[in-house]
Amino acid sequence: MPGRTIAPLPRKARRYLPAVWMRAGTSKGLFIHRHDLPAREDEWAPILLSAMGSNDSDSMQLNGIGGATSTTSKVAIVAPSHRQGVDVDYTFIQVAVGASAVDASGNCGNIASGVGPFAIDEGLVKVEPGQTEVDVRIYNTNTGRTLVETLEVDEEGHFVEEGVYRIPGVQSPGSRIRMAFEKPAGSKTGRLLPSGAPTNIVNVHTSRSTCHVRISAVDAANPFIFVDEATLPRSLRAIQPGEPQYLEFIESVRRVGAVLMGLAKSVEEAALTRGTPKIAVVTMPSLPHKTPTAVIPDVRVTAFSMGKVHGSLQMTGAVPLAVAACTEGTIVHEIAQRAAKLRHTPEVPLARVGDKETREIVIEHAKGVMPVYVEKDTQSVVSKVTLSRTARRLFEGQVVYAV
């Protein structure tokens, strides 16, 4: 219209947030001191969305530092802890890619592996003169669970990044960070098996079909749904997991599983929280072909994250998967027993100390294999699950955001 003027958009203030960008396990994320954010947690979202580049729902996150994948769009918020026997409190935030949303409903084990190194190098944990190894006790506020990270420090009390330990999905080696998840069962639901059974048959509706699949719903470090690949529709078993039809079906299973676990009242409500519960498809491990001495893993897994195929496996997916492998009646336990028969090895503890026994569960995923150690007492209660990661600080300074 002639003579019409367009009102200018309100100008956003450019602000600066002290932060550290780290590769932690097979994820990357922004590590922030709790005191550098507003006191009210409900004011965090606009800051984090702008910093990561998701405030405009851009799937490329071009106006932020996020890497346009769920594994590179994460935030760890760390503070000294006032809890007895705990060094730091840690809150995990998943920043959505392609949507203006954040999710704090669960933990991320890979990002958690960077919390210990961050706490050491930022002076949140005291290192005594002469120490070469430090235990950092971390309370995850998302799940109300504690994990202990054992890591190497140098003569100046800094985390030692360089080492020879390798993890699948990361090309270069690093120093080994041993992570022990203490009493992981019931992190969100209060029960290891929230449905009351180790295995359930669920009815799944999609835009294309309706069918039944077998799942095991397990809550250990994070709520997880494990789907028996053998019960998937034949049409899905013939295509790649990343195909839209496959992803739609898996998301439908996840929503039904969320209701079954008591994490949502309806599938519509479950759709609003993509990060919890998480989901994976499990099946028999691959048989070794190159060498007859190669180890046959206990289970093979294809994990999903925020509606897409995960590049490897979440740490907080490895924990419930390993616990499920040691829990009679679950789909994972059934698979692990069949794998043991192929190895011609009985299901015996790796070690026994006092009333505790430790079993090694070897998980196969797209990038390789991951050993996990599950400690159980005489009542078969899981007291601790231990895995190993590496981490590296990538930049430190200030990230620019606008609100």
Side-chain angles (χ1 to χ4, degrees), residues 15-331:
R15 299 181 182 180
Y16 300 85
L17 177 67
V20 172
W21 187 247
M22 291 184 69
R23 193 270 300 166
T26 54
S27 293
K28 287 198 289 189
L30 199 62
F31 286 70
I32 303 169
H33 284 275
R34 173 68 175 79
H35 61 70
D36 286 323
L37 288 170
R40 290 180 50 176
E41 294 186 14
D42 59 4
E43 296 178 2
W44 292 358
I47 298 171
L48 301 180
L49 288 168
S50 177
M52 300 300 283
S54 291
N55 57 325
D56 53 7
S57 301
D58 180 13
S59 62
M60 296 296 290
Q61 294 184 316
L62 291 176
N63 277 325
I65 63 171
T69 68
S70 65
T71 55
T72 57
S73 186
K74 302 184 175 186
V75 178
I77 299 164
V78 185
S81 181
H82 300 293
R83 306 172 200 273
Q84 186 175 3
V86 177
D87 295 305
V88 294
D89 291 345
Y90 143 67
T91 301
F92 170 69
I93 307 289
Q94 176 75 59
V95 178
V97 177
S100 183
V102 299
D103 186 348
S105 61
N107 185 16
C108 171
N110 276 298
I111 287 298
S113 70
V115 173
F118 176 82
I120 290 287
D121 287 343
E122 295 294 307
L124 299 179
V125 175
K126 184 178 181 181
V127 179
E128 299 294 341
Q131 277 189 287
T132 59
E133 199 173 72
V134 176
D135 287 342
V136 181
R137 295 186 62 84
I138 302 164
Y139 179 84
N140 175 238
T141 64
N142 306 79
T143 60
R145 291 295 186 269
T146 300
L147 61 119
V148 182
E149 294 183 5
T150 303
L151 46 86
E152 184 182 349
V153 293
D154 62 21
E155 60 277 4
E156 296 179 350
H158 298 303
F159 168 61
V160 176
E161 291 184 347
E162 303 302 326
V164 298
Y165 189 75
R166 292 182 179 274
I167 60 174
V170 178
Q171 297 298 319
S172 58
S175 69
R176 183 176 184 174
I177 302 169
R178 294 191 299 276
M179 303 177 64
F181 291 78
E182 297 184 341
K183 300 178 180 178
S187 65
K188 295 290 284 188
T189 66
R191 294 190 293 175
L192 174 64
L193 302 174
S195 72
T199 303
N200 297 95
I201 305 294
V202 295
N203 194 24
V204 182
H205 302 275
T206 70
S207 61
R208 296 176 174 86
S209 64
T210 298
C211 67
H212 301 281
V213 293
R214 289 179 76 222
I215 68 169
S216 287
V218 180
D219 182 2
N222 241 16
F224 233 97
I225 298 165
F226 298 111
V227 183
D228 185 353
E229 184 183 68
T231 65
L232 292 178
R234 290 184 180 180
S235 60
L236 294 186
R237 282 180 274 164
I239 63 176
Q240 293 298 313
E243 294 291 329
Q245 181 182 348
Y246 199 114
L247 294 176
E248 180 191 0
F249 185 85
I250 291 298
E251 174 59 16
S252 296
V253 178
R254 193 195 69 80
R255 295 176 187 180
V256 172
V259 177
L260 182 71
M261 299 177 83
L263 295 169
K265 295 179 180 179
S266 66
V267 291
E268 291 78 16
E269 181 181 328
L272 302 176
T273 304
R274 299 296 295 273
T276 305
K278 290 180 170 55
I279 190 167
V281 175
V282 292
T283 189
M284 283 290 291
S286 304
L287 298 179
H289 299 293
K290 295 183 179 180
T291 168
T293 60
V295 175
I296 299 175
D298 292 281
V299 61
R300 180 158 58 95
V301 60
T302 301
F304 299 82
S305 175
M306 304 297 285
K308 297 181 180 179
V309 179
H310 195 284
S312 53
L313 173 64
Q314 306 96 324
M315 286 279 287
T316 46
V319 173
L321 186 61
V323 172
C326 298
T327 303
E328 190 170 353
T330 69
I331 295 166

